[in-house]
Amino acid sequence: MELTATQEEQLKEKGISKKTLEQQIHRFVNGFPTVKLKKAAVVGDGILRISDSEIKDYVEFYDSKREDLDILKFVPASGAATRMFKFLHEFLQEYDASEESINSFINRKNARDLFTFFVGIEKFPFYDAVIESLKKGIDNWQSLSDRDKKERFVRKMLFKNGFNFSAMPKGLVPFHSYGEHKVTAFEEHLHEASGYAATKNEARLHFTIAQAYKNHFVNEFDRIEKAVEESTGKNYEISFSYQKPSTDTVAVDMQDKPIVNKDGTLFFRPAGHGALLDNLNEQDADLIFIKNIDNVTVSNLDEDVSVYKKMLAGVLLKVQEKAFTYLENLQTDSIEDNAFQEMEEFILEQLMRRLPRDYHKYTTIYKREALIEALNRPLRVCGMVKNEGEPGGGPFWVTNEYGQSSLQIVESAQVDDDDYRQRNIAANCTHFNPVDIVCGVRDYQGNKFDLADFRDLETGFITHKSRKGHELKAQELPGLWNGAMAHWNTIFVEVPLITFNPVKTVNDLLKPAHQG
């Protein structure tokens, strides 16, 4: 496509090449191939179920190695809290206090979320602060009607002339209450990390955030650092990064023509959590724990959560240790036939990776190369919880264009809805991906892998959005734990639901895992 001087300068500033832009437009025109599901991964066929005695062994193994490891907790935290309060925005837009009571509105609209919110309102960690602010600012607060109080409470909580929670990063919204102490999701991640991600008395955490809120996060850490360190007995090293402009994707209209802003620039959008592969690739550690910002619990459950985090790490270290030994052996000139067989069984049974179809016809030299190629990859161990209808990705056996199958986390947007067989396979998924991942990103010689070498660029997807009343198409990069890790060695392990406590709406804060 022909670019104006303004657009060429825009691409240069963002770090996007003209070739990349053309590839993005080509994707809109031709689409992405859908993922070919072979079958759902289930316990006994793709998902490991670990007994209580084995859990204890893996935890002890991890703890025995921990002090010699460089460990990092990586937390995607750039999302705004807007969606948490979606039903409250709808309430404010549609409710007219002069026409009806709030109860009447709830009944007329069948607004169950709103009903739950007002029934549990005093249990929210921010309730006292919002009420106190309202009382200070409104002289006749006590004489206001119930409907006025509730409406003003919601406005004070959400908007800029109050607490501005709606525009705030989710990580900075108060999630939990311990008496007078109100704790954000950001702070809970620090407490939780002390239980499993600290080594040599220090916990390292990296948060990906929106650049506009860096000072807010830094100020929050400065405010809580001393108290958290005293409480946990650990020191903290905190770092931040931002989604890179070079990972943005152009948006197009329904005729696949790039959308141009009034100032002549092209309209680009952030490309989803897959864009964070660049941020993850810049981190270097023996072990990296990945967990979303909104998946935390009250502190009395941290110990339970830590057990399963340590278990996942123990599984990774044991498997990685064996893989590294095999890779070192494969560098020697002479390998016994039974050693080849042992490595083949390890790859098939523990890494659950399939060797090339004609592998057994290979000569020794090519067998060695195939084994090295299978073993010398980043490794991830992913917790999987039983599927209880949560939206999001699930574990599947997926077949590639060469007929080889591998374990992948697949999002619903990647499945071919027009193929009833694929829909049926997706419907049989027994487990759900809670983004509970431990990663090994160094090779057997201690060198960090370039993670970009192990993604599958064919696994991006196109979504439909609206802007200023007009439909548009947006493009997302392969998801961070989906196509961005497609060519990693992958192990799925069943973990209990206690490890998965996301806050998707504000009402989730009323659940037991967030009430203490």
Side-chain angles (χ1 to χ4, degrees):
M1 66 175 283
E2 289 297 318
L3 297 174
T4 66
T6 297
Q7 291 164 356
E8 286 182 352
E9 183 61 28
Q10 178 190 17
L11 291 186
K12 186 177 177 182
E13 288 177 2
K14 291 180 79 69
I16 297 173
S17 68
K18 185 176 179 183
K19 182 181 178 182
T20 297
L21 175 64
E22 289 171 346
Q23 287 171 339
Q24 291 175 8
I25 295 170
H26 176 81
R27 286 298 189 194
F28 282 117
V29 174
N30 295 285
F32 288 93
T34 52
V35 169
K36 188 175 180 182
L37 304 178
K38 182 179 180 182
K39 56 186 174 180
V42 297
V43 171
D45 186 13
I47 300 177
L48 300 177
R49 176 173 288 161
I50 297 176
S51 68
D52 290 345
S53 62
E54 289 175 308
I55 290 172
K56 184 171 179 289
D57 290 343
Y58 281 121
V59 169
E60 288 177 355
F61 183 74
Y62 171 65
D63 280 335
S64 72
K65 301 284 186 180
R66 184 158 41 143
E67 288 304 306
D68 297 321
L69 296 173
D70 187 7
I71 301 172
L72 176 72
K73 185 177 181 182
F74 182 91
V75 184
S78 55
T82 312
R83 289 182 190 173
M84 276 180 67
F85 305 107
K86 183 171 181 284
F87 70 88
L88 292 175
H89 283 284
E90 291 170 352
F91 161 65
L92 293 177
Q93 287 168 4
E94 298 175 18
Y95 177 63
D96 184 347
S98 66
E99 296 287 329
E100 61 183 336
S101 69
I102 289 177
N103 281 342
S104 174
F105 175 86
I106 288 171
N107 291 330
R108 181 171 61 83
K109 303 288 288 188
N110 194 26
R112 294 179 182 177
D113 288 339
L114 189 64
F115 173 78
T116 301
F117 177 82
F118 285 128
V119 166
I121 194 167
E122 294 183 13
K123 294 182 179 179
F124 287 111
F126 43 77
Y127 173 78
D128 289 341
V130 175
I131 287 293
E132 186 179 339
S133 177
L134 286 166
K135 287 179 176 178
K136 281 182 179 176
I138 302 172
D139 291 336
N140 63 332
W141 171 257
Q142 296 299 341
S143 63
L144 292 179
S145 67
D146 179 66
R147 70 180 70 178
D148 278 347
K149 286 180 178 178
K150 285 176 176 173
E151 187 176 354
R152 291 182 189 227
F153 183 96
V154 174
R155 291 187 183 280
K156 176 65 72 171
M157 180 182 80
L158 292 184
F159 299 132
K160 202 169 184 178
N161 61 350
F163 289 76
N164 204 27
F165 287 158
S166 183
M168 200 176 284
K170 193 182 276 192
L172 295 179
V173 174
F175 269 28
H176 302 147
S177 179
Y178 305 105
E180 294 298 310
H181 184 45
K182 313 303 176 184
V183 178
T184 62
F186 173 71
E187 181 176 345
E188 288 290 17
H189 273 282
L190 306 187
H191 284 282
E192 186 192 284
S194 70
Y196 61 82
T199 181
K200 297 182 179 66
N201 216 43
E202 181 179 76
R204 281 202 306 138
L205 294 93
H206 182 86
F207 295 84
T208 62
I209 61 173
Q211 190 167 359
Y213 286 96
K214 181 178 180 181
N215 287 341
H216 295 72
F217 277 98
V218 170
N219 291 340
E220 174 68 359
F221 181 61
D222 288 345
R223 184 182 72 83
I224 64 177
E225 180 180 11
K226 185 177 179 182
V228 174
E229 288 182 346
E230 287 177 356
S231 170
T232 63
K234 302 290 190 293
N235 297 314
Y236 288 85
E237 180 187 320
I238 307 296
S239 58
F240 302 99
S241 65
Y242 325 112
Q243 195 163 311
K244 292 178 170 52
S246 59
T247 64
D248 291 349
T249 53
V250 72
V252 299
D253 61 22
M254 302 312 288
Q255 286 72 49
D256 299 318
K257 303 295 182 189
I259 294 172
V260 179
N261 296 312
K262 284 184 178 179
D263 62 2
T265 59
L266 296 170
F267 177 49
F268 282 90
R269 301 181 79 261
H273 54 71
L276 299 180
L277 182 67
D278 282 11
N279 305 66
L280 181 63
N281 207 12
E282 290 175 349
Q283 310 309 313
D284 190 12
D286 294 310
L287 276 185
I288 299 178
F289 291 90
I290 301 179
K291 194 174 185 189
N292 278 337
I293 187 67
D294 66 351
N295 184 14
V296 289
T297 65
V298 287
S299 59
N300 60 6
L301 295 176
D302 279 350
E303 193 172 331
D304 293 333
V305 171
S306 290
V307 166
Y308 293 99
K309 286 289 193 182
K310 290 179 181 183
M311 176 194 73
L312 296 177
V315 171
L316 185 142
L317 290 176
K318 280 204 172 185
V319 171
Q320 187 185 65
E321 195 173 82
K322 193 170 280 191
F324 285 178
T325 299
Y326 290 148
L327 284 162
E328 287 165 1
N329 292 342
L330 285 165
Q331 308 309 311
T332 62
D333 292 330
S334 58
I335 302 175
E336 300 291 332
D337 285 344
N338 63 342
F340 272 111
Q341 185 178 344
E342 185 183 320
M343 293 182 209
E344 292 157 11
E345 289 174 356
F346 171 78
I347 290 167
L348 289 168
E349 295 171 10
Q350 294 198 45
L351 291 182
M352 300 190 196
R353 173 168 288 278
R354 302 298 179 247
L355 290 164
R357 189 172 292 174
D358 296 327
Y359 170 81
H360 290 290
K361 297 178 183 177
Y362 289 5
T363 63
T364 300
I365 290 175
Y366 288 119
K367 278 187 176 180
R368 186 197 304 264
E369 288 179 1
L371 292 173
I372 290 172
E373 197 265 346
L375 291 167
N376 198 31
R377 297 166 178 269
L379 173 63
R380 60 175 176 163
V381 177
C382 310
M384 291 289 159
V385 297
K386 287 182 179 176
N387 191 348
E388 294 204 332
E390 291 282 351
F396 292 91
W397 287 100
V398 171
T399 304
N400 66 14
E401 65 269 33
Y402 306 111
Q404 295 172 307
S405 58
S406 62
L407 288 172
Q408 303 290 339
I409 297 170
V410 179
E411 304 294 325
S412 57
Q414 297 176 270
V415 178
D416 185 356
D417 271 342
D418 295 328
D419 186 329
Y420 78 93
R421 287 166 297 191
Q422 292 289 290
R423 288 201 311 271
N424 285 344
I425 293 171
N428 287 328
C429 188
T430 60
H431 286 69
F432 171 82
N433 165 43
V435 190
D436 192 1
I437 304 173
V438 189
C439 305
V441 297
R442 290 178 179 167
D443 67 16
Y444 71 103
Q445 295 175 318
N447 303 310
K448 197 184 80 65
F449 288 108
D450 182 352
L451 303 183
D453 293 340
F454 299 91
R455 61 184 169 173
D456 181 358
L457 291 172
E458 298 294 306
T459 56
F461 47 92
I462 293 166
T463 58
H464 290 257
K465 307 284 184 182
S466 63
R467 178 181 184 241
K468 298 178 180 177
H470 297 286
E471 272 195 281
L472 60 82
K473 291 198 279 188
Q475 194 171 134
E476 296 207 3
L477 291 172
L480 181 59
W481 34 85
N482 311 115
M485 296 182 177
H487 300 310
W488 291 40
N489 282 327
T490 296
I491 299 171
F492 295 148
V493 178
E494 187 178 56
V495 293
L497 280 166
I498 194 173
T499 64
F500 183 52
N501 301 285
V503 177
K504 300 305 179 188
T505 84
V506 66
N507 286 350
D508 287 331
L509 294 175
L510 299 175
K511 293 178 178 178
H514 298 287
Q515 284 293 313

